[in-house]
Amino acid sequence: MAYTYEVGDIVKLKKKHPCGSFEWEILRVGADFRLKCAGCGHQIMVARKMVEKNTRGLRKPEK
């Protein structure tokens, strides 16, 4: 399934973060993504290809 990633979206990934959360907020989109863990706030940079491969769900933020 092809997702359209935008800054502010919440992406659910296949593996969970050590804090226990599966959800990440997208802070930057491009060749690399900057993601912020929804559980603990840890930020990472990860290649777009890895995010696209491991995405299990995508939702828009609540306004």
Side-chain angles (χ1 to χ4, degrees):
M1 182 175 193
Y3 293 105
T4 305
Y5 299 97
E6 295 178 359
V7 173
D9 290 352
I10 306 297
V11 65
K12 184 175 182 179
L13 298 181
K14 180 166 56 174
K15 291 187 177 178
K16 68 179 169 184
H17 190 246
C19 75
S21 177
F22 285 92
E23 294 189 332
W24 297 80
E25 179 183 354
I26 299 174
L27 301 178
R28 179 181 176 273
V29 177
D32 294 319
F33 281 30
R34 177 169 292 282
L35 303 175
K36 183 171 96 174
C37 178
C40 66
H42 182 76
Q43 291 186 18
I44 60 170
M45 287 288 284
V46 63
R48 173 183 280 271
K49 193 170 187 176
M50 290 294 289
V51 173
E52 290 174 346
K53 184 178 120 186
N54 292 309
T55 297
R56 293 296 175 263
L58 182 73
R59 64 182 170 88
K60 302 296 178 186
E62 295 87 26
K63 300 261 184 215

